[in-house]
Amino acid sequence: MFDPFAQDEGKAMSHLVWKSGERECVFKGPIFDICKVKRESSDGRIASFIEVDAPLWVTVIPWFRDKSGVARFVMVDQFRHGSATITREFPAGVVEKGEDPLVAALRELKEEAGLEGGTVTALGNVSPNSAFMNNRSYFYLVEQASHTSGQELDENEQLDVLSVPVADVLRDLGTGIYDNGIMCIALFFFLREAGKRPYLMQ
């Protein structure tokens, strides 16, 4: 019988790998495709699984200290069509085909918030939902960027830009208008960086 309290001892996990077989695109959409993939388990089971084929995503955390010395984030408010609600998020977007994620992040920061320059730190990247999505989401911290231009939004994009004290975001993220899960991941990466540089939260 398995032991649910067993500790990770670096055991091999190869028996958990399913080998990929035939792959068929069953839906092509404007922001993602849906594919059907046949896979076989190590014990011989064969089944078809749905895979969302999506582009890479980027999220930028613009951090600055205001004239009073308060650490703040630049954030955007926008209507999200999936939840049909207004959410408050860090600037974010999609990596264009062949584009480097960092280049995409800085492009989104300029397009959405009119910000350029500053010090950039790559915080990491994760699979946003490994159960059925095949893309990755990249996160960057940009410190003390300068306001250089107006917005350059996509045709159907509409958002307001504002600054929020870091302390308020730490308190409220995951509730109310701060309920976008990708933003929670972004804050995790920020907190890990702030563990090395505590002044980011002060």
Side-chain angles (χ1 to χ4, degrees):
M1 180 181 292
F2 75 94
D3 179 4
F5 304 109
Q7 298 182 16
D8 179 7
E9 298 176 349
K11 295 180 181 178
M13 294 182 286
S14 57
H15 64 286
L16 298 176
V17 175
W18 289 61
K19 294 180 181 178
S20 298
E22 182 182 351
R23 189 169 187 269
E24 175 189 5
C25 182
V26 296
F27 170 80
K28 291 193 75 66
I31 56 174
F32 61 80
D33 298 338
I34 297 178
C35 300
K36 187 167 62 174
V37 185
K38 185 174 288 185
R39 291 197 168 101
E40 181 178 356
S41 69
S42 59
D43 59 8
R45 285 171 290 167
I46 298 175
S48 291
F49 299 89
I50 291 297
E51 184 179 286
V52 173
D53 189 10
L56 301 175
W57 297 339
V58 289
T59 298
V60 188
I61 304 173
W63 180 98
F64 73 103
R65 199 173 293 283
D66 67 17
K67 293 178 180 178
S68 301
V70 177
R72 304 177 76 96
F73 293 131
V74 174
M75 305 190 77
V76 298
D77 291 348
Q78 61 186 312
F79 183 85
R80 285 302 196 182
H81 295 277
S83 61
T85 60
I86 294 172
T87 62
R88 180 163 294 169
E89 308 173 5
F90 299 114
V94 171
V95 180
E96 296 176 357
K97 190 171 183 179
E99 188 178 27
D100 182 86
L102 173 58
V103 172
L106 298 179
R107 172 179 54 75
E108 290 289 346
L109 182 61
K110 185 174 187 297
E111 290 176 356
E112 293 191 0
L115 297 176
E116 293 182 280
T119 302
V120 181
T121 303
L123 298 177
N125 64 88
V126 295
S127 170
N129 190 331
S130 55
F132 57 86
M133 300 188 73
N134 64 12
N135 66 331
R136 297 192 71 77
S137 191
Y138 290 75
F139 300 87
Y140 298 90
L141 174 66
V142 177
E143 300 169 60
Q144 299 292 156
S146 299
H147 184 197
T148 62
S149 67
Q151 293 175 308
E152 303 170 29
L153 302 177
D154 295 337
E155 181 182 2
N156 293 317
E157 217 171 9
Q158 181 182 21
L159 51 84
D160 289 341
V161 185
L162 70 161
S163 74
V164 185
V166 169
D168 290 2
V169 179
L170 291 174
R171 181 193 66 213
D172 295 335
L173 202 67
T175 66
I177 60 173
Y178 292 96
D179 74 342
N180 182 314
I182 295 295
M183 300 305 117
C184 293
I185 298 172
L187 190 63
F188 155 76
F189 278 113
F190 173 80
L191 288 171
R192 189 164 70 178
E193 183 67 19
K196 296 179 281 187
R197 298 191 282 153
Y199 69 85
L200 289 170
M201 294 193 292
Q202 299 165 353

